[in-house]
PDB file of all heavy atoms in Angstrom:
ATOM      1  N   LYS R 126      -3.369 -42.930  11.317  1.00 79.00           N
ATOM      2  CA  LYS R 126      -2.045 -42.498  10.861  1.00 79.00           C
ATOM      3  C   LYS R 126      -1.910 -40.984  10.815  1.00 79.00           C
ATOM      4  O   LYS R 126      -0.829 -40.443  10.565  1.00 79.00           O
ATOM      5  CB  LYS R 126      -1.746 -43.090   9.488  1.00 79.00           C
ATOM      6  CG  LYS R 126      -1.479 -44.574   9.525  1.00 79.00           C
ATOM      7  CD  LYS R 126      -0.796 -45.026   8.250  1.00 79.00           C
ATOM      8  CE  LYS R 126      -0.990 -46.495   7.965  1.00 79.00           C
ATOM      9  NZ  LYS R 126      -2.244 -46.746   7.193  1.00 79.00           N
ATOM     10  N   SER R 127      -2.992 -40.264  10.994  1.00 81.00           N
ATOM     11  CA  SER R 127      -2.946 -38.802  10.910  1.00 81.00           C
ATOM     12  C   SER R 127      -3.102 -38.218  12.312  1.00 81.00           C
ATOM     13  O   SER R 127      -3.015 -38.921  13.317  1.00 81.00           O
ATOM     14  CB  SER R 127      -4.046 -38.338   9.934  1.00 81.00           C
ATOM     15  OG  SER R 127      -3.889 -36.956   9.733  1.00 81.00           O
ATOM     16  N   SER R 128      -3.343 -36.906  12.404  1.00 81.00           N
ATOM     17  CA  SER R 128      -3.265 -36.242  13.701  1.00 81.00           C
ATOM     18  C   SER R 128      -4.208 -36.766  14.747  1.00 81.00           C
ATOM     19  O   SER R 128      -5.284 -37.294  14.412  1.00 81.00           O
ATOM     20  CB  SER R 128      -3.513 -34.762  13.507  1.00 81.00           C
ATOM     21  OG  SER R 128      -4.886 -34.498  13.405  1.00 81.00           O
ATOM     22  N   ASP R 129      -3.836 -36.634  16.010  1.00 81.00           N
ATOM     23  CA  ASP R 129      -4.642 -37.149  17.124  1.00 81.00           C
ATOM     24  C   ASP R 129      -5.929 -36.314  17.321  1.00 81.00           C
ATOM     25  O   ASP R 129      -7.008 -36.826  17.391  1.00 81.00           O
ATOM     26  CB  ASP R 129      -3.807 -37.107  18.406  1.00 81.00           C
ATOM     27  CG  ASP R 129      -2.685 -38.163  18.379  1.00 81.00           C
ATOM     28  OD1 ASP R 129      -2.695 -38.942  17.429  1.00 81.00           O
ATOM     29  OD2 ASP R 129      -1.873 -38.147  19.321  1.00 81.00           O
ATOM     30  N   HIS R 130      -5.702 -35.029  17.492  1.00 80.00           N
ATOM     31  CA  HIS R 130      -6.828 -34.110  17.751  1.00 80.00           C
ATOM     32  C   HIS R 130      -6.361 -32.681  17.450  1.00 80.00           C
ATOM     33  O   HIS R 130      -5.151 -32.449  17.449  1.00 80.00           O
ATOM     34  CB  HIS R 130      -7.299 -34.212  19.228  1.00 80.00           C
ATOM     35  CG  HIS R 130      -6.217 -34.035  20.224  1.00 80.00           C
ATOM     36  ND1 HIS R 130      -5.798 -32.788  20.587  1.00 80.00           N
ATOM     37  CD2 HIS R 130      -5.433 -34.927  20.900  1.00 80.00           C
ATOM     38  CE1 HIS R 130      -4.821 -32.928  21.480  1.00 80.00           C
ATOM     39  NE2 HIS R 130      -4.595 -34.174  21.669  1.00 80.00           N
ATOM     40  N   PRO R 131      -7.280 -31.767  17.183  1.00 80.00           N
ATOM     41  CA  PRO R 131      -6.817 -30.417  16.790  1.00 80.00           C
ATOM     42  C   PRO R 131      -6.387 -29.514  17.944  1.00 80.00           C
ATOM     43  O   PRO R 131      -6.030 -28.372  17.709  1.00 80.00           O
ATOM     44  CB  PRO R 131      -8.036 -29.830  16.058  1.00 80.00           C
ATOM     45  CG  PRO R 131      -9.184 -30.557  16.605  1.00 80.00           C
ATOM     46  CD  PRO R 131      -8.706 -31.888  17.105  1.00 80.00           C
ATOM     47  N   MET R 132      -6.428 -29.998  19.170  1.00 80.00           N
ATOM     48  CA  MET R 132      -6.083 -29.112  20.280  1.00 80.00           C
ATOM     49  C   MET R 132      -4.583 -28.976  20.361  1.00 80.00           C
ATOM     50  O   MET R 132      -3.841 -29.575  19.615  1.00 80.00           O
ATOM     51  CB  MET R 132      -6.695 -29.672  21.574  1.00 80.00           C
ATOM     52  CG  MET R 132      -8.174 -29.848  21.451  1.00 80.00           C
ATOM     53  SD  MET R 132      -8.921 -30.441  22.896  1.00 80.00           S
ATOM     54  CE  MET R 132      -9.152 -28.931  23.789  1.00 80.00           C
ATOM     55  N   ALA R 133      -4.137 -28.145  21.337  1.00 76.00           N
ATOM     56  CA  ALA R 133      -2.708 -27.853  21.460  1.00 76.00           C
ATOM     57  C   ALA R 133      -1.874 -29.128  21.544  1.00 76.00           C
ATOM     58  O   ALA R 133      -2.158 -30.005  22.314  1.00 76.00           O
ATOM     59  CB  ALA R 133      -2.454 -26.984  22.694  1.00 76.00           C
ATOM     60  N   GLY R 134      -0.848 -29.222  20.704  1.00 74.00           N
ATOM     61  CA  GLY R 134       0.036 -30.370  20.689  1.00 74.00           C
ATOM     62  C   GLY R 134      -0.537 -31.553  19.891  1.00 74.00           C
ATOM     63  O   GLY R 134       0.130 -32.558  19.768  1.00 74.00           O
ATOM     64  N   GLY R 135      -1.698 -31.433  19.365  1.00 79.00           N
ATOM     65  CA  GLY R 135      -2.304 -32.567  18.676  1.00 79.00           C
ATOM     66  C   GLY R 135      -2.158 -32.528  17.177  1.00 79.00           C
ATOM     67  O   GLY R 135      -2.105 -33.563  16.543  1.00 79.00           O
ATOM     68  N   ALA R 136      -2.040 -31.319  16.615  1.00 84.00           N
ATOM     69  CA  ALA R 136      -1.912 -31.212  15.160  1.00 84.00           C
ATOM     70  C   ALA R 136      -1.106 -29.948  14.878  1.00 84.00           C
ATOM     71  O   ALA R 136      -1.522 -28.840  15.207  1.00 84.00           O
ATOM     72  CB  ALA R 136      -3.274 -31.117  14.500  1.00 84.00           C
ATOM     73  N   VAL R 137       0.030 -30.103  14.278  1.00 86.00           N
ATOM     74  CA  VAL R 137       0.906 -28.973  13.960  1.00 86.00           C
ATOM     75  C   VAL R 137       1.204 -28.987  12.486  1.00 86.00           C
ATOM     76  O   VAL R 137       1.560 -30.006  11.941  1.00 86.00           O
ATOM     77  CB  VAL R 137       2.203 -29.036  14.796  1.00 86.00           C
ATOM     78  CG1 VAL R 137       3.140 -27.892  14.400  1.00 86.00           C
ATOM     79  CG2 VAL R 137       1.911 -28.944  16.298  1.00 86.00           C
ATOM     80  N   VAL R 138       1.022 -27.852  11.849  1.00 88.00           N
ATOM     81  CA  VAL R 138       1.420 -27.738  10.459  1.00 88.00           C
ATOM     82  C   VAL R 138       2.782 -27.105  10.390  1.00 88.00           C
ATOM     83  O   VAL R 138       2.995 -26.009  10.942  1.00 88.00           O
ATOM     84  CB  VAL R 138       0.400 -26.892   9.657  1.00 88.00           C
ATOM     85  CG1 VAL R 138       0.784 -26.836   8.188  1.00 88.00           C
ATOM     86  CG2 VAL R 138      -0.994 -27.447   9.831  1.00 88.00           C
TER      87      VAL R 138
END
Side-chain angles (χ1 to χ4, degrees):
Chain R
K126 289 197 203 87
S127 188
S128 80
D129 290 353
H130 54 80
M132 303 182 84
V137 176
V138 182

